[in-house]
Amino acid sequence: VRELLGLDEAISVNMVDHADHEKNLGWEFVYDKDNVDPVLDIQFLSEAYYKADDDYTGRTTVPALIDVKTGKVVNNDYHHLTNHFETAFKPLHKKGAPDLYPEELREEIDKLNDIIFREVNNGVYKAGFARKQKAYDRAYNMVFNRLDWLEERLANQRYLFGDRLTESDVRLYVTLVRFDCAYYPVFRLNKKLLRDYPNLWAYARDLYQTPGFGDTTNFAAIKKHYHIDCCPSNEFAIVPNGPDETLWMTPHGREKLSGK
């Protein structure tokens, strides 16, 4: 959403990873010199949480929006953070930025986002972290029933709301792009690959090839996280080479659905 709206000058970004030597401190700025964020001058994301609240005892989660002047976390509500980017940050949008959260569709978008979150975004985790067969079976069926429904919805329209790219497309994309390389093998969601859904697979490639989607997708990081961090049985920490990422750049033909 930040890239799509052109907020890169208003909102800088840095990446974190798990701190191998200090597990209790959580996310660390491991990609920077001396593991210190050059803007905030901190080593661990938790430091920005404690600046906001000395008595904070919760988890230090990502994404976290930090005020660079105070060094405090000001928002970590991943459910609504992109909505804030789309509304409160509107004066800072680039010229020609898409309206991802049009006022006349907000009620419908919110309803669909809730379904996508419960049955797809979070549904894959319910399957992947299930501790009982019945819980896994229930989540497995829920995810694929919803993917079947989405496959049908996208049969004759380019995006989830017709010809308009919206917030809902972003929210669905983040799970679809991880499906074949992470959720299918690691979370045992192995009924179908994304590539077995003609409409969803073409739709996902359409989004991937749209500036703001593919250029913010890091398959190497995705595979490392799920195959190592989320897979304790992978004792030798082997990260698979596939699936073939070049397939994401193959023609999708979805522009025909919007008359382009």
Side-chain angles (χ1 to χ4, degrees), residues 125-157:
Y125 285 90
K126 289 180 179 180
F129 293 118
R131 295 187 176 184
K132 293 184 178 180
Q133 186 69 44
K134 284 186 178 180
Y136 162 75
D137 292 344
R138 186 164 55 247
Y140 177 97
N141 290 327
M142 178 180 67
V143 169
F144 285 104
N145 286 342
R146 185 54 64 185
L147 290 180
D148 289 342
W149 181 85
L150 289 163
E151 170 75 5
E152 186 176 342
R153 180 176 180 130
L154 290 164
N156 298 304
Q157 58 187 47

Side-chain angles (χ1 to χ4, degrees), residues 242-258:
D244 184 357
E245 295 171 24
T246 64
L247 296 176
W248 283 88
M249 291 304 296
T250 56
H252 53 76
R254 299 284 297 178
E255 63 277 356
K256 297 174 184 177
L257 294 175
S258 56

Side-chain angles (χ1 to χ4, degrees), residues 84-123:
H84 298 320
F85 289 173
E86 292 151 354
T87 55
F89 282 77
K90 197 160 191 174
L92 300 173
H93 290 183
K94 68 182 179 182
K95 185 177 180 181
D99 186 356
L100 298 176
Y101 199 46
E103 199 160 349
E104 69 274 17
L105 287 176
R106 285 180 189 176
E107 187 175 348
E108 291 182 64
I109 288 173
D110 290 343
K111 287 179 180 177
L112 183 57
N113 285 354
D114 182 60
I115 291 171
I116 290 172
F117 175 75
R118 286 185 291 104
E119 301 187 19
V120 182
N121 302 145
N122 197 42

Side-chain angles (χ1 to χ4, degrees), residues 217-238:
T217 298
N218 187 332
F219 282 114
I222 290 169
K223 289 189 289 187
K224 175 181 178 292
H225 175 70
Y226 286 94
H227 286 271
I228 296 178
D229 298 336
C230 296
C231 190
S233 62
N234 185 3
E235 77 174 291
F236 298 111
I238 294 173

Side-chain angles (χ1 to χ4, degrees), residues 42-105:
I42 59 175
Q43 182 177 355
F44 297 98
L45 180 60
S46 56
E47 296 175 62
Y49 275 84
Y50 300 141
K51 282 186 180 179
D53 182 357
D54 290 336
D55 299 320
Y56 184 73
T57 57
R59 295 169 58 227
T60 56
T61 59
V62 290
L65 190 65
I66 301 172
D67 178 356
V68 296
K69 291 184 178 180
T70 64
K72 298 177 180 180
V73 171
V74 292
N75 196 308
N76 69 345
D77 179 6
Y78 66 90
H79 277 293
H80 300 107
L81 189 55
T82 52
N83 295 143
H84 298 320
F85 289 173
E86 292 151 354
T87 55
F89 282 77
K90 197 160 191 174
L92 300 173
H93 290 183
K94 68 182 179 182
K95 185 177 180 181
D99 186 356
L100 298 176
Y101 199 46
E103 199 160 349
E104 69 274 17
L105 287 176

Side-chain angles (χ1 to χ4, degrees), residues 157-174:
Q157 58 187 47
R158 187 171 185 180
Y159 304 115
L160 290 171
F161 286 95
D163 291 342
R164 303 183 71 166
L165 181 67
T166 67
E167 160 93 6
S168 298
D169 297 299
V170 178
R171 295 196 182 208
L172 179 57
Y173 172 81
V174 296

